[in-house]
Amino acid sequence: MADKKQDLIDQKLQDLNNDGVDRRGFLKCMAWAGTGLVWTMSGGMPVSQAFAKGYGKNAGKGGDFSFVQISDSHIGFNKPANPDVTATLQTAIDKINSLPYKPDFIIHTGDLSQLSKPSEFDTLDQVLKGAPAKQIYFVPGEHDMLTDNGGQYLQRYGKGTKGTGWYSFDHKGVHLSVS
């Protein structure tokens, strides 16, 4: 009975605007498929496609350059919402590797870890070694700053950043501020 009730709730959640993209539906999808966006810059104008929609022949095509944004890997988390976050991140990396046009860089926009533990950052580093981009930019989330006010995060990922870990740079004629 509880399973039927949950199925009805899930159907209602996924029927918003007929696309299934509400917060809970998005998080549910993230848990089994990995998540990210492929951004294509053309004439300084960004266009994004979610992996679910952009996963195919045109993701990253036709622009001056493209990059991928991933977020909230929460390495170290292991509760029912996503008991294997490392596998979820690996799925996202596999999707990036499958894109027909390789991104110029990757931006990870926070919550790399769950509890800012060195072992969590080590696991993240191991998974990201398989990413196709030569450059990965990281922005801290609150989970990356928990135990030591972001000291470990900044030591590992903060080189070349400004302030508490944000970037400002030019790439192929486009100025990007990542925070």
Side-chain angles (χ1 to χ4, degrees), residues 20-108:
V21 184
D22 67 321
R23 187 175 192 286
R24 184 174 286 165
F26 177 74
L27 293 172
K28 187 174 181 180
C29 177
M30 238 174 76
W32 61 264
T35 189
L37 294 173
V38 179
W39 289 91
T40 304
M41 298 293 284
S42 184
M45 298 298 294
V47 175
S48 68
Q49 290 182 297
F51 281 160
K53 293 190 186 252
Y55 191 63
K57 359 179 190 172
N58 294 320
K61 179 183 178 184
D64 301 326
F65 69 91
S66 67
F67 65 94
V68 170
Q69 177 187 358
I70 58 175
S71 188
D72 294 279
S73 53
H74 286 278
I75 299 298
F77 182 84
N78 63 358
K79 302 294 184 245
N82 188 349
D84 192 351
V85 293
T86 303
T88 302
L89 178 59
Q90 184 60 59
T91 299
I93 297 303
D94 293 344
K95 286 183 178 185
I96 296 167
N97 285 329
S98 296
L99 292 170
Y101 303 94
K102 298 303 175 205
D104 288 34
F105 54 89
I106 295 172
I107 299 173
H108 190 306

Side-chain angles (χ1 to χ4, degrees), residues 110-130:
D111 289 341
L112 290 67
S113 67
Q114 180 65 14
L115 298 173
S116 307
K117 293 181 179 177
S119 61
E120 294 170 353
F121 291 130
D122 290 344
T123 299
L124 176 83
D125 291 343
Q126 287 301 311
V127 174
L128 292 179
K129 281 183 182 179

Side-chain angles (χ1 to χ4, degrees), residues 120-173:
E120 294 170 353
F121 291 130
D122 290 344
T123 299
L124 176 83
D125 291 343
Q126 287 301 311
V127 174
L128 292 179
K129 281 183 182 179
K134 292 180 180 158
Q135 177 68 47
I136 301 177
Y137 297 98
F138 299 93
V139 177
E142 72 272 14
H143 285 260
D144 304 316
M145 310 295 267
L146 286 176
T147 58
D148 62 354
N149 205 26
Q152 288 181 69
Y153 169 86
L154 288 170
Q155 183 179 9
R156 286 183 186 237
Y157 308 109
K159 293 170 182 64
T161 65
K162 300 181 183 315
T164 56
W166 58 277
Y167 294 89
S168 181
F169 62 94
D170 293 321
H171 185 77
K172 296 187 178 179

